Coordinates of all heavy atoms in Angstrom, one line a residue:
M1 N -33.3 -163.0 -67.6 CA -33.3 -161.9 -68.5 C -32.1 -161.1 -68.5 O -31.6 -160.7 -67.3 CB -34.6 -161.1 -68.2 CG -34.8 -159.9 -69.2 SD -36.3 -158.9 -68.9 CE -37.5 -160.0 -69.2
P2 N -31.4 -160.7 -69.6 CA -30.3 -159.9 -69.6 C -30.5 -158.5 -69.1 O -31.7 -158.0 -69.2 CB -29.9 -159.9 -71.1 CG -30.5 -161.0 -71.8 CD -31.8 -161.2 -71.0
S3 N -29.5 -157.8 -68.6 CA -29.7 -156.4 -68.1 C -28.8 -155.4 -68.9 O -27.8 -155.9 -69.4 CB -29.2 -156.3 -66.6 OG -30.1 -157.1 -65.8
I4 N -29.2 -154.2 -68.9 CA -28.4 -153.2 -69.4 C -28.3 -152.0 -68.4 O -29.1 -151.9 -67.5 CB -28.9 -152.6 -70.7 CG1 -30.3 -152.0 -70.6 CG2 -29.0 -153.7 -71.8 CD1 -30.8 -151.2 -71.8
T5 N -27.4 -151.2 -68.6 CA -27.2 -150.0 -67.7 C -27.4 -148.7 -68.6 O -27.0 -148.7 -69.7 CB -25.8 -149.9 -67.1 OG1 -25.6 -151.1 -66.3 CG2 -25.6 -148.7 -66.3
V6 N -28.3 -147.8 -68.1 CA -28.6 -146.7 -68.7 C -28.1 -145.5 -67.9 O -28.3 -145.4 -66.7 CB -30.0 -146.4 -69.0 CG1 -30.4 -145.1 -69.7 CG2 -30.6 -147.6 -69.9
N7 N -27.2 -144.7 -68.5 CA -26.7 -143.4 -67.8 C -27.6 -142.2 -68.0 O -27.9 -142.0 -69.1 CB -25.3 -143.2 -68.1 CG -24.3 -144.3 -67.9 OD1 -24.3 -144.8 -66.7 ND2 -23.5 -144.7 -68.8
V8 N -27.9 -141.5 -66.9 CA -28.6 -140.3 -67.0 C -27.9 -139.3 -66.2 O -27.3 -139.6 -65.2 CB -30.1 -140.4 -66.5 CG1 -30.9 -141.5 -67.4 CG2 -30.2 -140.9 -65.1
D9 N -28.2 -138.1 -66.4 CA -27.5 -137.0 -65.6 C -28.3 -136.8 -64.3 O -29.4 -137.3 -64.1 CB -27.4 -135.6 -66.4 CG -28.7 -135.0 -66.8 OD1 -29.7 -135.2 -66.0 OD2 -28.9 -134.4 -67.9
A10 N -27.6 -136.0 -63.5 CA -28.1 -135.9 -62.1 C -29.5 -135.2 -62.0 O -30.3 -135.6 -61.3 CB -27.1 -135.1 -61.2
D11 N -29.7 -134.2 -62.9 CA -31.0 -133.6 -63.0 C -32.1 -134.6 -63.4 O -33.2 -134.6 -62.7 CB -31.0 -132.4 -63.9 CG -32.3 -131.7 -64.0 OD1 -32.9 -131.2 -63.0 OD2 -32.9 -131.6 -65.1
L12 N -31.9 -135.3 -64.4 CA -32.9 -136.3 -64.8 C -33.1 -137.3 -63.8 O -34.3 -137.7 -63.5 CB -32.5 -137.0 -66.1 CG -33.5 -137.9 -66.7 CD1 -34.8 -137.3 -66.9 CD2 -33.0 -138.5 -68.0
K13 N -32.1 -137.8 -63.1 CA -32.2 -138.8 -62.0 C -33.1 -138.3 -60.9 O -34.0 -138.9 -60.4 CB -30.9 -139.2 -61.5 CG -30.9 -140.2 -60.4 CD -31.5 -141.5 -60.7 CE -31.3 -142.4 -59.5 NZ -32.2 -143.6 -59.6
A14 N -32.9 -136.9 -60.5 CA -33.6 -136.3 -59.5 C -35.1 -136.2 -59.9 O -36.0 -136.5 -59.1 CB -33.1 -135.0 -59.2
R15 N -35.3 -135.9 -61.1 CA -36.7 -135.8 -61.6 C -37.3 -137.2 -61.6 O -38.6 -137.2 -61.3 CB -36.7 -135.1 -62.9 CG -36.3 -133.6 -62.9 CD -36.1 -132.9 -64.1 NE -37.1 -133.0 -65.2 CZ -37.0 -132.8 -66.5 NH1 -35.7 -132.6 -66.9 NH2 -38.0 -133.0 -67.3
M16 N -36.6 -138.1 -62.0 CA -37.2 -139.5 -62.0 C -37.6 -139.9 -60.6 O -38.6 -140.6 -60.3 CB -36.2 -140.5 -62.6 CG -36.0 -140.3 -64.1 SD -34.6 -141.3 -64.7 CE -35.1 -143.0 -64.4
E17 N -36.7 -139.5 -59.6 CA -36.9 -139.9 -58.2 C -38.2 -139.2 -57.7 O -38.7 -139.7 -56.7 CB -35.7 -139.6 -57.4 CG -34.6 -140.6 -57.7 CD -33.3 -140.2 -57.0 OE1 -33.1 -139.0 -56.4 OE2 -32.3 -141.0 -57.0
N18 N -38.7 -138.2 -58.3 CA -39.9 -137.4 -57.9 C -41.1 -138.3 -58.2 O -42.3 -138.0 -57.8 CB -40.0 -136.1 -58.5 CG -39.1 -135.0 -57.9 OD1 -38.7 -135.2 -56.7 ND2 -38.8 -134.1 -58.7
H19 N -40.9 -139.4 -59.0 CA -42.0 -140.3 -59.4 C -41.6 -141.7 -59.1 O -41.5 -142.5 -60.0 CB -42.3 -140.1 -60.9 CG -42.8 -138.7 -61.2 ND1 -44.1 -138.3 -61.0 CD2 -42.1 -137.6 -61.7 CE1 -44.2 -137.0 -61.3 NE2 -42.9 -136.6 -61.7
P20 N -41.6 -142.1 -57.8 CA -41.2 -143.4 -57.5 C -42.3 -144.5 -57.8 O -42.0 -145.7 -57.9 CB -41.1 -143.5 -55.9 CG -42.0 -142.3 -55.5 CD -41.8 -141.3 -56.6
E21 N -43.5 -144.0 -58.2 CA -44.5 -145.0 -58.7 C -44.3 -145.5 -60.1 O -44.9 -146.4 -60.5 CB -45.9 -144.2 -58.6 CG -46.1 -143.2 -59.7 CD -45.5 -141.8 -59.5 OE1 -44.7 -141.7 -58.5 OE2 -45.8 -140.9 -60.3
I22 N -43.4 -144.8 -60.8 CA -43.1 -145.3 -62.2 C -42.0 -146.3 -62.2 O -40.9 -146.2 -61.5 CB -42.6 -144.0 -63.1 CG1 -43.7 -143.0 -63.0 CG2 -42.3 -144.5 -64.4 CD1 -45.0 -143.4 -63.7
N23 N -42.2 -147.4 -62.9 CA -41.2 -148.4 -63.1 C -40.3 -148.0 -64.3 O -40.7 -148.2 -65.4 CB -41.9 -149.8 -63.4 CG -40.9 -150.8 -63.6 OD1 -39.8 -150.7 -63.9 ND2 -41.4 -152.1 -63.5
W24 N -39.3 -147.3 -64.0 CA -38.4 -146.8 -65.1 C -37.8 -147.8 -65.9 O -37.5 -147.5 -67.1 CB -37.4 -145.8 -64.5 CG -38.1 -144.6 -63.8 CD1 -38.2 -144.3 -62.5 CD2 -38.8 -143.5 -64.6 NE1 -39.0 -143.1 -62.4 CE2 -39.3 -142.7 -63.6 CE3 -39.0 -143.3 -65.9 CZ2 -40.1 -141.5 -64.0 CZ3 -39.8 -142.1 -66.3 CH2 -40.3 -141.3 -65.3
S25 N -37.5 -149.0 -65.3 CA -37.0 -150.0 -66.2 C -38.0 -150.4 -67.2 O -37.6 -150.7 -68.4 CB -36.7 -151.3 -65.3 OG -35.6 -151.0 -64.4
E26 N -39.3 -150.5 -66.9 CA -40.2 -150.8 -67.8 C -40.4 -149.7 -68.9 O -40.6 -150.0 -70.1 CB -41.7 -151.1 -67.1 CG -42.8 -151.4 -68.1 CD -42.5 -152.8 -68.8 OE1 -41.7 -153.6 -68.5 OE2 -43.3 -153.1 -69.9
V27 N -40.4 -148.5 -68.5 CA -40.4 -147.4 -69.4 C -39.4 -147.5 -70.5 O -39.5 -147.3 -71.6 CB -40.4 -146.0 -68.7 CG1 -40.3 -144.8 -69.6 CG2 -41.6 -145.8 -67.8
T28 N -38.1 -147.7 -69.9 CA -37.0 -147.8 -70.8 C -37.2 -149.0 -71.7 O -36.8 -148.9 -73.0 CB -35.7 -148.0 -70.0 OG1 -35.6 -146.9 -69.0 CG2 -34.4 -148.0 -70.8
R29 N -37.6 -150.1 -71.2 CA -37.7 -151.3 -72.1 C -38.7 -151.0 -73.2 O -38.6 -151.5 -74.4 CB -38.2 -152.5 -71.2 CG -38.3 -153.8 -72.0 CD -39.1 -154.9 -71.3 NE -40.6 -154.6 -71.3 CZ -41.4 -154.5 -72.3 NH1 -40.9 -154.8 -73.5 NH2 -42.6 -154.2 -72.2
Q30 N -39.8 -150.4 -72.9 CA -40.8 -150.0 -73.8 C -40.3 -149.1 -74.9 O -40.5 -149.2 -76.1 CB -42.1 -149.4 -73.2 CG -42.9 -150.5 -72.4 CD -44.1 -149.8 -71.7 OE1 -44.4 -148.7 -71.8 NE2 -44.8 -150.7 -71.0
A31 N -39.5 -148.1 -74.5 CA -38.9 -147.1 -75.4 C -38.0 -147.8 -76.4 O -38.0 -147.6 -77.6 CB -38.3 -146.1 -74.7
I32 N -37.2 -148.8 -75.8 CA -36.3 -149.5 -76.7 C -37.1 -150.4 -77.7 O -36.7 -150.5 -78.8 CB -35.3 -150.3 -75.8 CG1 -34.3 -149.5 -75.1 CG2 -34.5 -151.4 -76.6 CD1 -33.6 -150.1 -74.1
Q33 N -38.1 -151.0 -77.2 CA -38.9 -151.9 -78.0 C -39.5 -151.2 -79.2 O -39.5 -151.6 -80.3 CB -40.0 -152.6 -77.1 CG -40.9 -153.6 -77.9 CD -40.2 -154.8 -78.4 OE1 -39.3 -155.3 -77.8 NE2 -40.6 -155.3 -79.6
E34 N -40.1 -150.0 -78.9 CA -40.7 -149.1 -79.9 C -39.7 -148.7 -80.9 O -40.0 -148.7 -82.2 CB -41.4 -147.9 -79.2 CG -42.7 -148.2 -78.5 CD -43.2 -147.1 -77.8 OE1 -42.8 -146.0 -78.0 OE2 -44.0 -147.3 -76.9
K35 N -38.5 -148.3 -80.5 CA -37.5 -147.9 -81.4 C -37.0 -149.1 -82.3 O -36.9 -148.8 -83.6 CB -36.2 -147.4 -80.6 CG -35.1 -146.8 -81.5 CD -35.7 -145.5 -82.2 CE -34.7 -144.8 -82.9 NZ -35.1 -143.5 -83.5
I36 N -36.8 -150.2 -81.8 CA -36.5 -151.4 -82.5 C -37.6 -151.8 -83.5 O -37.2 -152.0 -84.7 CB -36.3 -152.7 -81.6 CG1 -34.9 -152.4 -80.8 CG2 -36.1 -153.9 -82.4 CD1 -33.6 -152.4 -81.5
E37 N -38.8 -151.7 -83.2 CA -39.9 -152.0 -84.1 C -39.9 -151.0 -85.2 O -40.1 -151.3 -86.5 CB -41.2 -152.0 -83.4 CG -41.3 -153.2 -82.5 CD -42.5 -153.2 -81.6 OE1 -43.3 -152.2 -81.7 OE2 -42.8 -154.2 -80.8
A38 N -39.7 -149.7 -84.9 CA -39.6 -148.7 -85.9 C -38.5 -148.9 -86.9 O -38.6 -148.7 -88.1 CB -39.5 -147.2 -85.3
L39 N -37.3 -149.2 -86.4 CA -36.1 -149.5 -87.2 C -36.4 -150.7 -88.1 O -36.0 -150.8 -89.2 CB -34.9 -149.8 -86.4 CG -34.4 -148.5 -85.6 CD1 -33.3 -148.9 -84.6 CD2 -33.8 -147.5 -86.7
E40 N -37.0 -151.8 -87.6 CA -37.4 -152.9 -88.4 C -38.3 -152.6 -89.6 O -38.1 -153.1 -90.6 CB -38.0 -154.0 -87.5 CG -36.9 -154.6 -86.6 CD -37.5 -155.6 -85.6 OE1 -38.7 -155.6 -85.3 OE2 -36.6 -156.3 -85.0
V41 N -39.2 -151.7 -89.3 CA -40.1 -151.3 -90.4 C -39.3 -150.5 -91.4 O -39.5 -150.7 -92.6 CB -41.3 -150.4 -89.9 CG1 -42.0 -149.7 -90.9 CG2 -42.2 -151.1 -88.9
M42 N -38.5 -149.6 -91.0 CA -37.7 -148.9 -91.9 C -36.7 -149.9 -92.7 O -36.6 -149.7 -93.9 CB -36.8 -147.9 -91.1 CG -37.6 -146.7 -90.6 SD -38.5 -145.8 -91.8 CE -37.2 -145.1 -92.9
D43 N -36.2 -150.8 -92.0 CA -35.4 -151.8 -92.8 C -36.2 -152.6 -93.9 O -35.8 -152.8 -94.9 CB -34.8 -152.9 -91.8 CG -33.7 -152.4 -91.0 OD1 -33.2 -151.2 -91.3 OD2 -33.4 -152.9 -90.0
E44 N -37.5 -152.9 -93.5 CA -38.4 -153.5 -94.5 C -38.6 -152.6 -95.7 O -38.6 -153.0 -96.8 CB -39.7 -153.9 -93.9 CG -39.6 -155.2 -93.0 CD -41.0 -155.6 -92.5 OE1 -42.0 -155.4 -93.2 OE2 -41.1 -156.0 -91.3
L45 N -38.9 -151.4 -95.4 CA -39.2 -150.4 -96.5 C -38.0 -150.1 -97.3 O -38.1 -149.9 -98.5 CB -39.8 -149.1 -95.9 CG -41.1 -149.2 -95.1 CD1 -41.4 -147.9 -94.5 CD2 -42.3 -149.6 -96.1
T46 N -36.8 -150.1 -96.8 CA -35.7 -149.7 -97.5 C -34.6 -150.8 -97.9 O -33.7 -150.6 -98.5 CB -34.9 -148.6 -96.7 OG1 -34.4 -149.2 -95.5 CG2 -35.7 -147.4 -96.4
G47 N -35.1 -152.0 -97.5 CA -34.2 -153.2 -97.7 C -33.6 -153.4 -99.1 O -32.5 -153.7 -99.3
E48 N -34.5 -153.1 -100.0 CA -34.2 -153.4 -101.4 C -33.9 -152.0 -102.2 O -33.6 -152.0 -103.4 CB -35.2 -154.2 -102.2 CG -35.3 -155.5 -101.6 CD -36.3 -156.4 -102.3 OE1 -36.6 -156.2 -103.5 OE2 -36.7 -157.3 -101.7
S49 N -33.8 -150.9 -101.4 CA -33.7 -149.6 -102.0 C -32.2 -149.4 -102.6 O -31.2 -150.0 -102.0 CB -33.9 -148.5 -101.0 OG -33.6 -147.2 -101.5
E50 N -32.1 -148.7 -103.7 CA -30.8 -148.5 -104.2 C -30.3 -147.0 -103.9 O -29.3 -146.6 -104.3 CB -30.8 -148.7 -105.8 CG -31.0 -150.1 -106.1 CD -31.0 -150.3 -107.6 OE1 -30.6 -149.5 -108.4 OE2 -31.4 -151.5 -108.0
L51 N -31.0 -146.3 -103.0 CA -30.7 -145.0 -102.6 C -29.5 -145.1 -101.7 O -29.3 -145.9 -100.8 CB -31.9 -144.3 -101.8 CG -33.2 -144.0 -102.5 CD1 -34.2 -143.5 -101.6 CD2 -32.9 -143.0 -103.7
T52 N -28.6 -144.1 -101.8 CA -27.5 -144.0 -101.0 C -27.9 -143.2 -99.8 O -28.9 -142.5 -99.7 CB -26.3 -143.2 -101.7 OG1 -26.7 -141.8 -101.9 CG2 -25.9 -143.9 -103.0
E53 N -27.0 -143.1 -98.7 CA -27.3 -142.3 -97.6 C -27.4 -140.9 -97.9 O -28.2 -140.1 -97.4 CB -26.1 -142.5 -96.6 CG -26.3 -141.8 -95.3 CD -27.4 -142.2 -94.5 OE1 -27.7 -143.4 -94.5 OE2 -28.0 -141.4 -93.7
S54 N -26.6 -140.4 -98.8 CA -26.6 -139.1 -99.4 C -27.9 -138.7 -100.1 O -28.5 -137.7 -99.8 CB -25.5 -138.7 -100.3 OG -25.6 -137.5 -100.9
D55 N -28.5 -139.7 -100.8 CA -29.8 -139.5 -101.4 C -30.9 -139.3 -100.4 O -31.7 -138.5 -100.4 CB -30.2 -140.8 -102.3 CG -29.3 -140.9 -103.5 OD1 -28.7 -139.9 -103.9 OD2 -29.2 -142.0 -103.9
V56 N -30.9 -140.2 -99.4 CA -31.8 -140.1 -98.2 C -31.8 -138.8 -97.6 O -32.7 -138.2 -97.3 CB -31.6 -141.3 -97.3 CG1 -32.5 -141.2 -96.0 CG2 -31.9 -142.7 -98.0
Q57 N -30.5 -138.3 -97.2 CA -30.4 -137.1 -96.7 C -30.9 -135.9 -97.4 O -31.5 -134.9 -96.9 CB -28.8 -136.8 -96.2 CG -28.4 -137.7 -95.1 CD -27.0 -137.6 -94.8 OE1 -26.3 -136.8 -95.4 NE2 -26.4 -138.3 -93.9
D58 N -30.7 -135.9 -98.7 CA -31.2 -134.9 -99.6 C -32.7 -135.0 -99.6 O -33.4 -133.9 -99.6 CB -30.7 -135.2 -101.1 CG -29.3 -134.9 -101.2 OD1 -28.7 -134.2 -100.4 OD2 -28.6 -135.3 -102.3
I59 N -33.3 -136.1 -99.7 CA -34.8 -136.3 -99.7 C -35.4 -135.7 -98.4 O -36.3 -134.9 -98.3 CB -35.3 -137.7 -99.9 CG1 -34.9 -138.1 -101.4 CG2 -36.7 -137.9 -99.7 CD1 -35.0 -139.6 -101.7
A60 N -34.7 -136.1 -97.2 CA -35.2 -135.6 -96.0 C -35.1 -134.1 -95.9 O -35.9 -133.5 -95.3 CB -34.3 -136.2 -94.8
K61 N -34.0 -133.5 -96.3 CA -33.9 -132.1 -96.4 C -35.0 -131.4 -97.2 O -35.6 -130.4 -96.6 CB -32.5 -131.7 -96.9 CG -32.2 -130.2 -97.0 CD -30.8 -130.0 -97.5 CE -30.6 -128.4 -97.5 NZ -29.3 -128.1 -98.2
K62 N -35.4 -131.9 -98.3 CA -36.4 -131.4 -99.1 C -37.8 -131.5 -98.3 O -38.5 -130.5 -98.4 CB -36.5 -132.1 -100.4 CG -35.4 -131.7 -101.4 CD -35.3 -132.5 -102.6 CE -34.1 -132.1 -103.5 NZ -34.1 -132.9 -104.7
I63 N -38.0 -132.7 -97.7 CA -39.2 -132.8 -96.9 C -39.3 -131.8 -95.8 O -40.3 -131.2 -95.6 CB -39.3 -134.2 -96.4 CG1 -39.5 -135.2 -97.6 CG2 -40.4 -134.3 -95.3 CD1 -39.4 -136.7 -97.2
N64 N -38.2 -131.6 -95.1 CA -38.2 -130.7 -94.0 C -38.4 -129.2 -94.4 O -39.1 -128.4 -93.8 CB -36.8 -130.8 -93.2 CG -36.7 -132.0 -92.3 OD1 -37.7 -132.6 -92.0 ND2 -35.5 -132.5 -92.1
E65 N -37.8 -128.8 -95.5 CA -37.9 -127.5 -96.0 C -39.4 -127.3 -96.5 O -40.0 -126.2 -96.2 CB -37.1 -127.3 -97.3 CG -35.6 -127.1 -96.8 CD -34.5 -127.2 -98.1 OE1 -35.1 -127.4 -99.2 OE2 -33.4 -127.0 -97.9
S66 N -40.0 -128.3 -97.2 CA -41.4 -128.2 -97.6 C -42.3 -128.0 -96.3 O -43.2 -127.3 -96.3 CB -41.8 -129.5 -98.4 OG -43.1 -129.4 -98.7
G67 N -42.1 -128.9 -95.3 CA -42.8 -128.8 -94.0 C -42.6 -127.4 -93.4 O -43.7 -126.8 -93.0
R68 N -41.5 -126.8 -93.4 CA -41.2 -125.6 -92.7 C -42.0 -124.4 -93.5 O -42.6 -123.6 -93.0 CB -39.8 -125.2 -92.7 CG -39.0 -125.7 -91.5 CD -37.6 -125.2 -91.4 NE -36.7 -126.2 -91.1 CZ -35.9 -126.8 -91.9 NH1 -35.9 -126.4 -93.2 NH2 -35.2 -127.9 -91.6
K69 N -41.9 -124.6 -94.8 CA -42.6 -123.6 -95.7 C -44.1 -123.6 -95.5 O -44.8 -122.6 -95.3 CB -42.2 -123.9 -97.2 CG -42.9 -122.9 -98.2 CD -42.5 -123.2 -99.6 CE -43.3 -122.3 -100.6 NZ -43.0 -122.6 -102.0
R70 N -44.6 -124.9 -95.4 CA -46.1 -125.0 -95.1 C -46.5 -124.4 -93.8 O -47.5 -123.7 -93.7 CB -46.5 -126.4 -95.2 CG -48.1 -126.6 -95.1 CD -48.6 -127.9 -94.9 NE -48.0 -128.9 -95.9 CZ -48.3 -130.2 -95.9 NH1 -49.0 -130.7 -94.9 NH2 -47.7 -131.0 -96.8
I71 N -45.7 -124.7 -92.8 CA -46.0 -124.1 -91.4 C -45.9 -122.6 -91.4 O -46.8 -121.9 -90.9 CB -45.1 -124.6 -90.4 CG1 -45.4 -126.1 -90.2 CG2 -45.1 -123.8 -89.1 CD1 -44.3 -126.9 -89.3
D72 N -44.9 -122.0 -92.2 CA -44.8 -120.6 -92.3 C -46.0 -120.0 -93.0 O -46.5 -118.9 -92.6 CB -43.5 -120.2 -93.0 CG -42.3 -120.5 -92.2 OD1 -42.4 -120.7 -91.0 OD2 -41.1 -120.5 -92.8
E73 N -46.4 -120.6 -94.1 CA -47.6 -120.1 -94.8 C -48.8 -120.1 -94.0 O -49.7 -119.3 -94.1 CB -47.8 -120.9 -96.1 CG -46.7 -120.6 -97.1 CD -46.7 -121.5 -98.4 OE1 -47.5 -122.5 -98.3 OE2 -46.0 -121.4 -99.2
E74 N -49.0 -121.3 -93.2 CA -50.2 -121.4 -92.4 C -50.3 -120.4 -91.2 O -51.3 -120.0 -90.8 CB -50.3 -122.9 -91.8 CG -50.6 -123.8 -92.9 CD -50.7 -125.3 -92.4 OE1 -50.3 -125.5 -91.2 OE2 -50.9 -126.1 -93.2
S75 N -49.0 -120.1 -90.7 CA -49.1 -119.0 -89.6 C -49.0 -117.7 -90.0 O -49.0 -116.7 -89.2 CB -47.9 -119.4 -88.6 OG -46.7 -119.5 -89.3
A76 N -48.9 -117.4 -91.4 CA -48.8 -116.0 -91.9 C -50.2 -115.4 -92.0 O -51.3 -116.0 -91.9 CB -48.2 -116.0 -93.2

């Protein structure tokens, strides 16, 4: 099986060492697997899209603004 190297800062490494019962390689492998699967779903959904990156960013901005507005209204 191929290997990869993951760099973490000293604080995170120390915190990881506080949990020797955790197989951090497996945690990392699972996180990468989940991310790849999510990207593959996105590729399937957008594969034939004619939207540009700018279009996608504009839509994301509108969604985020709408979500913030809803949260503000609910907490008022």
Side-chain angles (χ1 to χ4, degrees):
M1 177 179 295
S3 296
I4 65 169
T5 299
V6 177
N7 296 312
V8 297
D9 63 34
D11 178 61
L12 182 56
K13 177 67 173 157
R15 292 165 58 198
M16 291 168 66
E17 289 173 348
N18 286 333
H19 297 280
E21 72 281 8
I22 302 295
N23 179 340
W24 293 109
S25 292
E26 181 63 17
V27 170
T28 303
R29 188 198 66 73
Q30 288 175 2
I32 292 169
Q33 181 69 35
E34 289 173 13
K35 186 64 168 185
I36 291 294
E37 289 172 0
L39 290 170
E40 289 172 345
V41 168
M42 290 303 296
D43 288 344
E44 282 184 38
L45 293 173
T46 62
E48 296 182 24
S49 174
E50 294 181 10
L51 293 174
T52 66
E53 183 66 28
S54 178
D55 294 334
V56 172
Q57 289 175 359
D58 289 343
I59 292 168
K61 182 179 176 183
K62 290 176 184 176
I63 291 169
N64 289 337
E65 288 171 354
S66 175
R68 274 190 228 101
K69 182 179 176 183
R70 184 186 314 171
I71 289 170
D72 290 344
E73 289 172 353
E74 289 175 359
S75 53

